[in-house]
């Protein structure tokens, strides 16, 4: 005991420094996760919320039922589509924009940085109103532009297949800005001397991009991929404000499914089990990312 | 997992929620001595109710009414939080469809003792349908505050052209008028909107066909031939392109240019149309819904309830009694255009207007959504089924059999 106190006294300062952060993490992340896990094994609903004595454990029922729920399976499938289409698009587009903006430093380039970044800081509800009008089947700008080429009007948000891609387009537009900033920062960190050395060896622009820039961006790419991946697995705001998961649940995402069950239908136990499935999917996806990651490039 | 671990986890959960509940519980009941504060939650904007609460404060010196306005979108979440923390307002405005859910959770006080004390709260003062919305499990937990119902808005000029200047009176006439309107209007013209995303739309058509789809014993009848017939009737409007499938048409603009000359909606649309489409003044009106076996419509609106965790229940009841006064009800109509639930208020000059009077007439046969706590879940399933039928092209009978099984399952829980 004395030994422990001595040890503690000696090492207390680092713990004191991390204590506030750890405390916040425990109170606002770890404990809620544990609570959600507990709730996911119960039939908790509004009646249970008002009086805890009405809560009954249901074992694995919620988990079994959720995998029989066609809406959940549909949302799982939709989320999968969102991820495999959305993530590569965001990474490629954000990197392309960053590379282009990195060519110059004149006012024009600076202005465009602002323009590309703007969607990231715009309120989603305002965005939804504007894009709602762009997508409008009768008065929308997109259909008007299609009419120039004689293409018939599309039901952007009413057609089950198209609606999914309409939402991806919107989310892509919103996601580019932030990731572009990360890529830009990484680009600025690549020393000029590498390019100079390559130029002396007669490397062309394409080769410099292929053998210097992209490999040296690998860490930024990794970071962007992971954060974007997690973001798209939790895809929520866009379907929530634009389509409410419709038509025919074609845009329902996992997060929206959980929200609907938890807050609209007050099935907290069922929603909690859904959120655990989501949690596990995110953990797995992240582990896979770490596993397939190539060795860090260093010159 | 071992039993002991379970116990510990559950204890942690409890302890944590107690801490959270404790955080907020100090600020309630700040009233001491002569000055009392009454916390009131309203949905929507506060400027419609503050003139009335000011009147109450003037009549009851020493009482301060603290009004909090909650947007409808977030109201349900906010009420959930209030129930979880057992700390909310004294008086709360409840959307009629939420009453069973919150009453089942024990969040709403039984009002029977107060109804004896305040004659204003007696059931016979209000429309029958509205009174039913405040009942749960044989108890009165809500006093009707304002009501709304759905009626038919139509363009008198365009309907006159196809032979229905008084509006269609029956389902057959509605169908006939619709077909003629579309035939006359040509491409891009529709007859009527049917809002499949509104949980009450299918219910209205079913009631009109004489089917009570959840009976008194709590048994669903969604696959009853009459319910199926009602759904098929609605579906035919989509199939024959009398109703637009996409819902992103601006209804107000379409009503003005005549591309959608009829729609079913509530009293709030009267002012909207007057404000936005002044060009067609005098060319449109409101009438009761077309009938099949009857022309029942739905009744909605809001009730006033006392939160069970309130410490000011007597004062709260007094406040609700005041809100049920004719004077307060008329004032609220003036500030918000919401129709009064109090029958005697309808004698006022303001309700002689034929459009409002049509809603008054419709209210006499208006029925509330089933007063069961599972209704929201079933309503969502019903919306999804109708979407499968009207957009997804599913077979009506098969889909309704599925819906009925699902409803049975939900009700059996």
């Amino acid at each position: 005991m004395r030994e422990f106190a001595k040890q503690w006294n000696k090492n207390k300062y680092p713990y004191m420094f991390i204590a506030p952060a750890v405390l916040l993490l425990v109170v606002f992340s770890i404990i809620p996760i544990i609570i959600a896990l507990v709730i996911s094994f119960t039939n908790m609903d509004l009646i249970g919320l008002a009086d805890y004595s009405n809560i009954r454990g249901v074992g694995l029922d919620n988990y079994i039922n959720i995998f029989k729920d066609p809406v959940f399976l549909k949302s799982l499938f939709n989320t999968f589509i969102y991820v495999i289409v959305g993530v590569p698009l965001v990474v490629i587009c954000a990197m392309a924009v960053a590379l282009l903006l990195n060519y110059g430093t004149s006012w024009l380039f600076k202005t465009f940085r602002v323009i590309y970044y703007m969607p990231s800081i715009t309120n989603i509800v305002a965005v939804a109103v504007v894009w709602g009008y762009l997508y409008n089947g009768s008065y929308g700008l997109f259909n008007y532009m299609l009419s120039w080429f004689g293409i018939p009007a599309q039901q952007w948000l009413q057609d089950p297949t198209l609606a999914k891609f309409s939402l991806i387009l919107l989310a892509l537009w919103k996601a580019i800005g932030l990731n572009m900033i990360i890529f830009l920062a990484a680009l600025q960190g690549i020393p000029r001397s590498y390019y100079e050395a390559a130029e002396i060896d007669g490397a062309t622009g394409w080769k410099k991009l292929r053998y210097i820039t992209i490999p040296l961006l690998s860490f930024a790419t990794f970071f962007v991929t992971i954060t974007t991946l997690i973001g798209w697995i939790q895809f929520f705001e866009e379907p929530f404000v634009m389509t409410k998961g419709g038509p025919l649940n074609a845009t329902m995402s996992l997060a929206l499914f959980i929200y609907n069950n938890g807050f609209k239908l007050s099935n907290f136990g069922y929603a909690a089990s859904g959120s655990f499935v989501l949690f596990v999917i995110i953990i797995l996806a992240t582990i896979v990312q770490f596993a397939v990651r190539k060795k860090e490039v260093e010159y | 997992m071992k039993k002991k671990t379970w116990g510990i986890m559950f204890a942690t959960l409890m302890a944590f929620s107690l801490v959270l509940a404790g955080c907020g519980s100090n600020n309630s009941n700040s009233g001491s001595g002569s000055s009392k504060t009454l916390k009131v939650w309203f949905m929507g904007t506060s400027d419609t109710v503050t003139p009335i609460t000011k009147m109450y404060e003037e009549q009851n010196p020493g009482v301060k009414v603290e009004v909090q306005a909650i947007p409808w979108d977030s109201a349900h979440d906010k009420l959930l939080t209030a129930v979880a923390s057992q700390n909310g307002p004294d008086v709360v405005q409840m959307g009629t469809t939420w009453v069973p859910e919150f009453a089942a959770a024990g969040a709403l006080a039984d009002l029977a003792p107060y109804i004896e004390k305040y004659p204003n709260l007696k059931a016979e003062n209000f429309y029958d349908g509205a009174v039913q919305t405040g009942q749960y499990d044989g108890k009165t937990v809500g006093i009707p505050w304002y009501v709304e119902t759905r009626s038919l808005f139509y363009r008198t000029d365009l309907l006159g052209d196809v032979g229905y200047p008084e509006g269609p009176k029956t389902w057959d006439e509605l169908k006939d008028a619709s077909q003629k309107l579309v035939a006359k209007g040509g491409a891009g013209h529709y007859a009527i909107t049917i809002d499949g995303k509104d949980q009450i739309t299918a219910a209205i058509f079913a009631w009109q066909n004489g089917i009570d789809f959840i009976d008194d014993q709590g048994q669903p009848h969604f696959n009853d031939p009459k319910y199926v017939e009602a759904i098929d009737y609605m579906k035919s409007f989509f199939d024959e392109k009398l109703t637009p499938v996409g819902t992103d048409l601006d209804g107000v603009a379409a009503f003005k240019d005549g591309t959608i000359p009829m729609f079913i909606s509530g009293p709030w649309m009267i002012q909207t149309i007057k404000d936005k489409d002044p060009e067609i003044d005098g060319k449109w009106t409101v009438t009761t819904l077309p009938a099949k076996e009857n022309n029942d419509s739905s009744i909605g609106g809001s009730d006033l309830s006392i939160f069970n965790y309130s410490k000011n229940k007597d004062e709260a009841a007094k406040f609700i009694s005041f809100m049920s006064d004719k004077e307060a009800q008329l004032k609220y109509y003036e500030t918000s255009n919401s129709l009064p639930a109090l029958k005697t208020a309808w004698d006022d000059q303001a309700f002689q207007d034929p459009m409002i009077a049509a809603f008054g007439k419709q209210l006499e046969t208006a029925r509330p959504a089933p007063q069961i706590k599972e209704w929201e879940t079933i309503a969502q399933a019903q919306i999804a089924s109708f979407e499968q039928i009207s957009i997804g092209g599913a077979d009506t009978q098969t889909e309704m059999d599925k819906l009925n099984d699902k409803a049975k399952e939900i009700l059996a829980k």
Side-chain angles (χ1 to χ4, degrees):
Chain A
M1 193 65 217
R2 203 149 154 221
E3 195 59 26
F4 175 77
K6 216 169 135 193
Q7 276 289 322
W8 167 250
N9 229 2
K10 202 171 139 200
N11 294 328
K12 67 183 171 189
Y13 296 107
Y15 291 111
M16 281 163 70
F17 275 109
I18 63 165
V22 169
L23 194 71
L24 284 176
L25 187 73
V26 168
V27 172
F28 292 108
S29 292
I30 311 285
I31 291 180
I33 288 173
I34 293 168
I35 292 177
L37 183 64
V38 174
I39 290 174
S40 74
F41 293 107
T42 69
N43 69 341
M44 185 155 166
D45 55 9
L46 190 66
I47 296 170
L49 190 65
D51 182 356
Y52 295 136
S53 64
N54 290 322
I55 302 175
R56 204 163 38 81
V58 293
L60 288 171
D61 277 7
N62 284 333
Y63 290 93
I64 295 165
N65 289 336
I66 208 164
F67 280 103
K68 286 189 200 153
D69 187 338
V71 182
F72 177 77
L73 297 177
K74 186 98 197 238
S75 70
L76 203 62
F77 169 75
N78 291 338
T79 306
F80 180 70
I81 300 282
Y82 288 139
V83 168
I84 58 162
V85 179
V87 176
L89 268 179
V90 169
V91 174
I92 292 167
C93 293
M95 194 193 275
V97 169
L99 286 170
L100 291 174
L101 289 184
N102 200 41
Y103 268 110
T105 48
S106 72
W107 64 268
L108 187 71
F109 288 87
K110 281 181 182 154
T111 317
F112 268 92
R113 279 183 200 199
V114 175
I115 289 174
Y116 278 111
Y117 189 59
M118 203 86 87
S120 310
I121 52 168
T122 312
N123 183 309
I124 180 73
V125 178
V127 169
V129 172
V130 174
W131 279 72
Y133 275 109
L134 295 180
Y135 280 140
N136 190 299
S138 319
Y139 326 103
L141 178 70
F142 289 157
N143 276 344
Y144 179 64
M145 287 177 0
L146 288 183
S147 72
W148 294 343
F149 308 102
I151 301 169
Q154 301 295 317
Q155 295 279 328
W156 296 99
L157 295 173
Q158 277 75 41
D159 182 86
T161 321
L162 199 55
K164 220 173 290 181
F165 294 97
S166 301
L167 291 187
I168 291 178
L169 184 64
L170 165 58
L172 171 68
W173 171 81
K174 209 166 149 41
I176 284 179
L178 187 67
N179 295 316
M180 170 205 79
I181 296 279
I182 295 167
F183 277 124
L184 269 176
L187 280 170
Q188 320 252 304
I190 301 175
R192 290 279 331 140
S193 52
Y194 292 162
Y195 294 108
E196 282 159 12
E199 274 158 23
I200 291 168
D201 288 344
T204 56
W206 170 250
K207 285 203 163 136
K208 280 189 281 182
L209 180 71
R210 169 74 185 77
Y211 293 104
I212 300 172
T213 315
I214 291 180
L216 283 172
L217 280 181
S218 71
F219 189 74
T221 315
F222 177 64
F223 177 80
V224 166
T225 311
I226 292 241
T227 50
T228 311
L229 185 75
I230 294 173
W232 282 83
I233 294 175
Q234 297 175 326
F235 198 57
F236 173 74
E237 288 170 327
E238 287 80 2
F240 178 66
V241 295
M242 298 289 288
T243 60
K244 305 263 181 228
L248 300 172
N249 296 321
T251 58
M252 182 73 72
S253 70
L254 280 175
L256 186 59
F257 174 85
I258 293 164
Y259 174 86
N260 280 346
N261 274 288
F263 292 100
K264 268 173 95 177
L265 305 176
S266 306
N267 286 328
F268 303 114
Y270 196 56
S273 66
S275 69
F276 252 83
V277 174
L278 181 63
F279 181 73
V280 169
I281 291 174
I282 291 175
I283 298 279
L284 286 180
T286 314
I287 290 173
V288 168
Q289 281 288 311
F290 272 95
V292 302
R293 191 182 159 211
K294 292 203 199 84
K295 269 246 165 292
E296 186 116 354
V297 183
E298 285 281 4
Y299 287 115
Chain B
M1 207 178 279
K2 269 185 283 173
K3 212 166 183 189
K4 200 176 168 191
T5 336
W6 267 108
I8 293 170
M9 282 174 99
F10 209 65
T12 322
L13 164 67
M14 290 301 136
F16 188 67
S17 13
L18 282 179
V19 171
L20 278 188
C23 290
S25 66
N26 293 335
N27 54 7
S28 72
N29 200 18
S30 54
S32 61
S34 60
S35 94
K36 269 191 198 155
T37 304
L38 196 64
K39 288 210 301 190
V40 184
W41 280 7
F42 277 101
M43 318 306 168
T45 53
S46 64
D47 49 340
T48 57
V49 274
T50 35
I52 309 168
T53 59
K54 284 264 152 45
M55 282 159 57
Y56 184 75
E57 283 175 345
E58 276 163 26
Q59 289 176 20
N60 296 273
V63 178
K64 197 181 167 315
V65 183
E66 195 186 299
V67 177
Q68 192 175 345
I70 308 163
W72 272 109
D73 284 350
S74 57
H76 194 260
D77 294 1
K78 181 111 181 165
L79 283 169
L80 282 186
T81 324
V83 171
S85 66
Q86 314 219 328
N87 175 40
D90 300 304
V91 177
V92 62
Q93 175 188 346
M94 294 292 298
T96 51
T97 49
W98 297 344
V99 171
E101 190 187 1
F102 285 91
L108 307 178
D110 182 1
L111 301 175
Y114 306 109
I115 295 174
E116 274 173 35
K117 196 170 166 195
Y118 299 102
N120 262 357
L121 307 182
K122 283 207 167 62
E124 60 259 33
N125 299 343
F126 308 100
Y127 281 103
D128 283 348
V131 172
Q132 286 170 40
T133 65
Q135 310 281 329
Y136 183 76
D137 213 7
K139 283 189 208 143
T140 302
V141 293
I143 299 296
W145 160 231
Y146 70 82
V147 289
E148 53 98 344
T149 185
R150 308 295 156 91
S151 291
L152 182 71
F153 288 71
Y154 72 99
R155 288 281 299 268
T156 44
D157 54 344
L158 298 175
L159 268 291
D161 289 347
V162 294
Y164 294 99
E166 301 288 310
K169 294 276 176 254
T170 65
W171 278 20
D172 290 338
E173 285 187 20
L174 177 65
K175 192 61 173 292
D176 182 55
S178 300
Q179 286 163 340
K180 285 182 178 156
L181 280 166
V182 171
K184 196 161 189 288
H189 281 253
Y190 299 98
I192 185 168
T193 49
I194 293 176
D195 186 0
K197 285 215 165 56
D198 187 340
Q199 51 172 260
I200 214 66
T201 312
I204 290 175
F205 281 96
W207 284 330
Q208 291 178 350
N209 205 22
I211 176 77
D212 201 0
F213 46 84
I214 295 177
D215 64 22
D216 299 339
Q217 276 78 47
Q219 283 304 308
H221 296 285
F222 288 108
N223 55 354
D224 187 286
K226 290 196 158 184
Y227 193 91
V228 174
E229 189 189 358
I231 297 292
D232 272 332
Y233 179 71
M234 288 164 71
K235 184 191 181 199
S236 68
F237 282 86
F238 290 90
D239 289 349
E240 296 173 29
K241 302 210 172 359
L242 307 174
T243 291
V245 175
T247 47
D248 60 358
L249 271 169
D250 182 354
V252 178
F255 192 60
K256 179 167 73 182
D257 62 26
T259 44
I260 303 179
M262 290 187 279
F263 64 91
I264 295 169
S265 192
W268 56 87
M269 284 306 287
I270 295 177
Q271 200 55 43
T272 310
I273 301 278
K274 278 184 181 162
D275 289 346
K276 291 195 173 164
D277 299 345
E279 300 89 339
I280 54 167
D281 266 352
K283 291 182 184 169
W284 63 280
T285 190
V286 185
T287 186
T288 50
L289 293 176
K292 179 78 192 294
E293 289 187 12
N294 57 56
N295 76 335
D296 286 2
S297 183
S298 78
I299 193 165
S302 287
D303 294 343
L304 292 177
S305 294
I306 301 180
F307 222 50
N308 223 353
Y309 313 108
S310 158
K311 294 189 181 71
N312 279 328
K313 288 204 180 91
D314 290 324
E315 192 64 42
K318 195 176 167 196
F319 177 75
I320 296 180
S321 165
F322 168 80
M323 296 300 258
S324 308
D325 256 348
K326 192 176 169 183
E327 194 193 357
Q329 293 258 313
L330 288 175
K331 184 81 183 170
Y332 190 61
Y333 175 70
E334 197 181 296
T335 56
S336 72
N337 279 316
S338 301
L339 303 177
L342 187 72
K343 280 194 266 185
T344 52
W346 284 77
D347 301 336
D348 194 80
Q349 194 59 38
F351 303 100
Q352 304 311 312
D353 177 272
M355 292 188 199
I356 307 280
F359 280 104
K361 190 149 185 297
Q362 187 78 66
L363 276 171
E364 285 163 16
T365 56
R367 326 168 32 153
Q371 293 300 102
I372 48 172
K373 66 177 196 304
E374 297 87 355
W375 170 241
E376 183 66 29
T377 316
I378 294 177
Q380 294 299 329
Q382 177 213 271
I383 290 171
S385 291
F386 186 66
E387 207 179 20
Q388 289 288 356
I389 292 165
S390 61
I391 303 173
D395 176 61
T396 315
Q397 186 67 52
T398 328
E399 190 62 37
M400 285 302 127
D401 286 341
K402 263 196 251 168
L403 176 63
N404 208 53
D405 289 345
K406 193 164 184 193
K408 268 191 186 143
E409 197 181 299
I410 295 166
L411 287 163
K413 264 184 195 163

